[in-house]
Amino acid sequence: MLTNKLIDSLSSQGWYVWDGFLALSDIQMIKQCLPKTLQDARIGYRGSLQENKTIRGDQTVWLEPEMGEPVIHYLDKMEQIRQALNCQLYLGLRDFETHFCRYPKGGFYKKHFDNPKGVSRRKITTVLYMNELWKPTDGGELIVYDHEDNHLFRLEPVAGRMIFFMSEEFPHEVLPTETNRESITGWFLTEKKL
């Protein structure tokens, strides 16, 4: 079962790439549920949130069950994974938050960790890619580093591919994109979201 591969890989190396996590038809149905207008992404946490286009240039919208059945199906799948991770790895994951991201042409996200300084509620990061016709000249790859700033790997944002990684272990960045780059980024949390 693929969930076992995810659990084994997270416990041994801290990350896992799951190709074919969702079918293209599922991705297309989720896209149809999303609003046309997105919000410029911000950095920081709660009261310190701010826009900073020199650090990130994407637009987002948080996913909510009210958006429709395809979104509910996705959230249910992630809930099943949360329960499996807790059962096998004892991580104390209590919730999952997620948003859709669109990087317009030229968009990027400089190297960062997914937990703001002094906050450690995000335990596992997930990114589901939704770029159906992605090709190497499109850019927008994910680069993952270790704590010593060594380049570990580059991941192409191919539709249906999902990466899971330990949020506090791997700084990462999104390279500039030459076309719209779309994904769903999420985090398994050690506390309930507000």
Side-chain angles (χ1 to χ4, degrees):
M1 186 174 170
L2 286 174
T3 306
N4 291 336
K5 288 185 180 179
L6 165 65
I7 289 165
D8 290 346
S9 188
L10 280 177
S11 61
S12 62
Q13 65 185 11
W15 55 272
Y16 179 66
V17 175
W18 187 333
D19 282 323
F21 182 81
L22 281 189
L24 287 180
S25 58
D26 293 327
I27 288 170
Q28 290 164 348
M29 287 190 291
I30 290 173
K31 284 183 182 182
Q32 291 171 7
C33 296
L34 301 172
K36 300 293 180 229
T37 304
L38 306 177
Q39 218 179 22
D40 286 342
R42 298 180 291 173
I43 59 171
Y45 183 62
R46 291 189 179 153
S48 68
L49 284 171
Q50 59 183 313
E51 281 184 34
N52 189 331
K53 299 265 187 206
T54 65
I55 293 176
R56 70 184 294 186
D58 57 324
Q59 298 176 315
T60 64
V61 62
W62 291 97
L63 295 188
E64 301 293 345
E66 298 76 27
M67 291 176 168
E69 199 61 39
V71 172
I72 291 171
H73 175 72
Y74 176 73
L75 295 174
D76 286 347
K77 187 168 184 169
M78 298 309 287
E79 173 60 16
Q80 291 169 8
I81 290 172
R82 184 189 71 81
Q83 290 178 17
L85 291 170
N86 274 344
C87 185
Q88 297 294 318
L89 298 178
Y90 309 105
L91 294 174
L93 305 174
R94 300 186 54 170
D95 213 341
F96 180 69
E97 64 181 3
T98 186
H99 59 54
F100 171 74
C101 304
R102 179 179 294 132
Y103 289 80
K105 183 176 180 179
F108 61 90
Y109 197 159
K110 288 191 175 176
K111 187 166 57 173
H112 65 284
F113 282 99
D114 280 347
N115 276 313
K117 286 184 181 173
V119 179
S120 61
R121 59 195 280 275
R122 292 174 171 172
K123 201 62 151 177
I124 298 174
T125 298
T126 67
V127 185
L128 171 69
Y129 297 107
M130 306 175 82
N131 309 290
E132 299 170 49
L133 302 173
W134 184 87
K135 52 192 183 304
T137 55
D138 290 343
E141 296 95 336
L142 178 74
I143 305 289
V144 178
Y145 301 88
D146 66 14
H147 278 280
E148 283 73 48
D149 217 27
N150 297 309
H151 174 275
L152 294 177
F153 61 91
R154 175 188 297 234
L155 191 66
E156 298 84 12
V158 176
R161 172 177 286 165
M162 171 83 90
I163 182 168
F164 297 77
F165 60 89
M166 303 305 290
S167 303
E168 296 177 300
E169 295 301 316
F170 300 102
H172 53 284
E173 68 177 314
V174 176
L175 296 180
T177 182
E178 296 300 319
T179 186
N180 275 352
R181 176 196 186 271
E182 297 178 328
S183 61
I184 293 175
T185 301
W187 301 272
F188 289 106
L189 310 172
T190 54
E191 63 184 52
K192 286 281 191 185
K193 61 183 178 182
L194 298 176

